[in-house]
Amino acid sequence: MLGGMQDFELRVPRLLDHAAREHAKREIITRWADGRETRSDWAGIAHDSRRLAQALERLGLKPGDRVATLAMNHGSHLVAWYGTIGMGGVVHTINPRLFDEQLVYIANHAEDRVLIYDKLFQPIVDRLKPLWTSIEHYICFDRDGADGFDALLDAEDGQYAWFEGGEREPCMLCYTSGTTGNPKGVLYTHRSTLLHAMHAGSPSVMTLSSRTAILPIVPLFHAAAWGLCFAAPLAGSKMVFSQVNNADALCGLMNREKVTLASGVPTVWLALFQHIDATGELPETVEQITVGGSAAPRAMIARFLDMGIQVIHLWGMTETSPVATAASPPPGWEDMSRDEQLDMLQKQGSIPFGIELRVLDDDNAEQPRDGVSSGRLQVRGPWVVKRYFGAPEDAVDAEDWFDTGDVAVLHPDGTMQITDRAKDVIKSGGEWISSVDLENAAVGCAGVAEAAAIGIYHPKWDERPILLVVKKPGSEVTPAEINAHLENHVAKWWLPDEILFVDDLPHTATGKLLKTELRARFKDYRLAA
Ligand code: AMP
């Protein structure tokens, strides 16, 4: 028997239609690299997206075809997403910070037919054009002239009805920036994207509304910009984009455009703090910061709370669309001590509807939610990957559980805490030391800018941690001072055997510490003791 309600395929263009109808004048602002600022609104973005859909059809694109972008954040990039998706295509965001080899691999693997790119990345295009086997059309976002994005749109009138199909058809492709092996593509569906947008904007996650003015500092090429470009039109939020990511430009933009919510990985907030310390300029209107991609350090959360800014700590991965869990103020928040509040926000948060989590030990036994038993974290739900693009097999087990590669603990209050990446935990005497906890404790020490903990071979304990530290400019901090600080935050047997100062640390294309490279670099390192 069928129910009596309307079929309403959950397709992404409906988000844009809603915003254009109900929040037509809510603005979309872009600050370009040359300092220019351009203004549009949801009605303008919808009109331009229809024009792009027409243009792509004119170029011969068919539903299901992939259109790649190699670009920073701006309103035209947003149009590229909706125009491509609106004609039934699949938008493939490419991370320009990947190595050439990976850039070649993923565009060829995705069989991209069109590449729309920022002028800034012209050298990449010139270098790799001979190696990209499927790209037929190259369009530049920010160049005047016949091969420019605006010229393409100007040839169309916008009289276009979105391609209509099923909600399980694909709309977007993102490759994971894995640190080993070839990148793997996650092919989101209209349905998964729309459900994720409803979840990401909800009060238990980012609390988006038409009042919200969002600055996604997270790049549009990093895990679908955490769903913000889909959740914003749903809520009717204003969006503010910047093609450049320096704290100076961002802070001014936040104040001019009265940004209320900004999203980014921990490193962008460290840069913002340095800007505040150097200039005294504060982001005056920001009410909420969302942090994700790596664990939010306690000292960072504390500083934002002291500034009167609420921190939402997100955990997820490209494979989970990406937002899965969110740490936000629980009941009784106002009555908690500052330390209890920090304990709460430092965890990766509570489990929202749509996401199921479990933790397994090495024998695949499910662990209790007791706040101590740690193990491999698995996830399932309607916006979690089932099979990577083009893969011969599913990435999940028979019950749809996906192994995240993270190590976690579930707490009795329903919250989840990531303790490490499975590959990064330091195994000392059969027990696990969390490299993430050590690093977070270390960056809370005055004078420490960044820290990485890795395991070094030890004849008795298998592995012992060493800590690699980048000092803040002008800091004279010593290993003894760092150790004294760490003693207040981690178990004694976790303390690193050695603390070494380095000029910088290697990062992945999405700003995470590149532990594989550090381990390779210190492969033959022997502890002095
Ligand atoms: P990506 O697919 O590049 O977004 O990477 C996903 C991975 O980033 C996760 O599996 C985690 O290891 C890590 N990650 C993301 N958010 C957090 C967080 N809030 N705390 C700790 N690790 C995180």
Side-chain angles (χ1 to χ4, degrees):
M1 185 169 118
L2 290 176
M5 309 311 278
Q6 300 179 11
D7 265 335
F8 182 105
E9 297 291 325
L10 303 179
R11 287 194 53 104
V12 167
R14 294 186 188 269
L15 296 170
L16 188 56
D17 286 346
H18 167 77
R21 205 168 45 233
E22 312 303 337
H23 306 279
K25 295 282 164 237
R26 201 63 177 127
E27 302 134 293
I28 312 296
I29 313 293
T30 299
R31 185 210 184 274
W32 297 88
D34 60 9
R36 242 174 350 118
E37 282 182 17
T38 52
R39 312 181 82 81
S40 184
D41 52 28
W42 283 115
I45 296 293
H47 178 67
D48 287 349
S49 300
R50 288 181 202 277
R51 293 198 293 159
L52 179 63
Q54 289 176 303
L56 291 172
E57 283 192 355
R58 202 178 298 279
L59 291 176
L61 273 269
K62 296 274 175 286
D65 283 349
R66 269 78 69 199
V67 173
T69 62
L70 190 68
M72 302 303 289
N73 292 2
H74 44 72
S76 302
H77 198 169
L78 184 68
V79 168
W81 284 27
Y82 279 102
T84 301
I85 295 172
M87 56 79 52
V90 173
V91 63
H92 170 204
T93 48
I94 301 183
N95 182 342
R97 298 181 194 136
L98 295 173
F99 303 119
D100 280 5
E101 206 178 298
Q102 295 169 318
L103 290 170
V104 171
Y105 174 85
I106 64 173
N108 290 346
H109 187 263
E111 297 178 45
D112 296 324
R113 291 190 61 195
V114 175
L115 176 70
I116 319 182
Y117 63 97
D118 281 0
K119 201 163 53 184
L120 174 70
F121 302 124
Q122 186 69 48
I124 299 182
V125 173
D126 292 342
R127 211 164 55 235
L128 302 184
K129 216 171 185 174
L131 302 172
W132 279 326
T133 51
S134 58
I135 302 175
E136 300 156 45
H137 305 280
Y138 290 86
I139 298 156
C140 184
F141 272 121
D142 44 359
R143 186 175 294 130
D144 299 334
D147 67 343
F149 188 71
D150 289 341
L152 196 74
L153 299 196
D154 287 344
E156 308 297 335
D157 63 7
Q159 296 303 309
Y160 180 84
W162 303 127
F163 174 81
E164 285 295 345
E167 63 184 29
R168 289 177 170 78
E169 291 171 2
C171 63
M172 185 167 213
L173 179 61
C174 291
Y175 281 74
T176 58
S177 52
T179 47
T180 51
N182 280 326
K184 297 198 263 309
V186 182
L187 188 61
Y188 306 122
T189 62
H190 284 262
R191 175 186 150 87
S192 71
T193 304
L194 203 134
L195 291 175
H196 178 266
M198 295 174 91
H199 144 78
S202 72
S204 51
V205 187
M206 289 192 259
T207 321
L208 300 187
S209 75
S210 60
R211 243 200 97 241
T212 317
I214 305 171
L215 174 74
I217 305 178
V218 51
L220 266 68
F221 55 76
H222 181 200
W226 304 353
L228 285 167
C229 297
F230 300 119
L234 184 154
S237 307
K238 168 175 172 171
M239 295 201 87
V240 181
F241 294 107
S242 177
Q243 206 183 15
V244 291
N245 268 348
N246 62 68
D248 211 23
L250 291 174
C251 201
L253 187 61
M254 286 192 232
N255 286 331
R256 277 196 306 285
E257 294 302 333
K258 299 192 168 46
V259 166
T260 62
L261 183 160
S263 285
V265 296
T267 41
V268 310
W269 306 125
L270 292 177
L272 178 70
F273 291 157
Q274 279 174 7
H275 169 80
I276 295 172
D277 293 341
T279 65
E281 185 187 26
L282 289 164
E284 307 278 356
T285 56
V286 172
E287 297 165 11
Q288 196 194 110
I289 291 285
T290 56
V291 189
S294 307
R298 192 177 184 89
M300 175 177 291
I301 302 172
R303 180 152 181 185
F304 277 127
L305 294 186
D306 289 344
M307 289 163 69
I309 295 176
Q310 187 56 60
V311 172
I312 308 289
H313 184 189
L314 304 175
W315 169 81
M317 50 201 316
T318 306
E319 287 88 338
T320 62
S321 291
V323 179
T325 63
S328 57
W333 172 257
E334 291 75 14
D335 302 326
M336 288 179 164
S337 68
R338 179 46 62 91
D339 260 347
E340 287 168 332
Q341 292 181 338
L342 293 176
D343 287 345
M344 189 49 80
L345 294 186
Q346 226 190 324
K347 291 190 276 184
Q348 277 69 12
S350 48
I351 306 171
F353 171 76
I355 288 291
E356 295 178 30
L357 296 181
R358 69 174 186 183
V359 165
L360 302 184
D361 69 8
D362 282 346
D363 301 321
N364 289 331
E366 188 167 345
Q367 297 297 290
R369 295 187 171 205
D370 59 5
V372 282
S373 305
S374 75
R376 281 161 30 236
L377 178 68
Q378 298 193 328
V379 59
R380 66 179 179 188
W383 55 88
V384 176
V385 71
K386 187 169 180 83
R387 180 183 291 221
Y388 290 108
F389 180 59
E393 289 170 5
D394 286 350
V396 297
D397 71 11
E399 293 170 322
D400 275 346
W401 288 107
F402 173 75
D403 205 303
T404 62
D406 286 330
V407 177
V409 171
L410 295 174
H411 289 268
D413 65 359
T415 56
M416 185 273 284
Q417 183 175 11
I418 298 283
T419 53
D420 221 328
R421 287 293 294 166
K423 291 187 286 272
D424 297 342
V425 280
I426 299 163
K427 295 188 174 133
S428 181
E431 302 273 0
W432 289 5
I433 296 174
S434 159
S435 65
V436 171
D437 284 359
L438 268 181
E439 288 154 9
N440 277 341
V443 293
C445 176
V448 172
E450 201 181 10
I454 56 170
I456 292 290
Y457 168 76
H458 189 284
K460 178 166 175 200
W461 303 113
D462 272 345
E463 276 185 354
R464 286 296 303 158
I466 64 166
L467 190 70
L468 307 167
V469 171
V470 181
K471 287 189 215 175
K472 281 191 183 153
S475 148
E476 301 283 332
V477 68
T478 64
E481 283 163 357
I482 297 174
N483 246 325
H485 172 85
L486 289 177
E487 272 181 20
N488 297 324
H489 296 279
V490 300
K492 209 163 172 75
W493 64 275
W494 281 28
L495 291 178
D497 284 28
E498 289 178 22
I499 296 178
L500 307 177
F501 292 112
V502 293
D503 291 338
D504 48 36
L505 289 166
H507 294 95
T508 68
T510 51
K512 297 180 217 288
L513 282 170
L514 190 52
K515 294 284 182 70
T516 43
E517 185 180 323
L518 283 177
R519 278 194 291 267
R521 212 185 275 177
F522 285 85
K523 186 166 57 73
D524 300 321
Y525 188 81
R526 289 291 164 261
L527 296 165

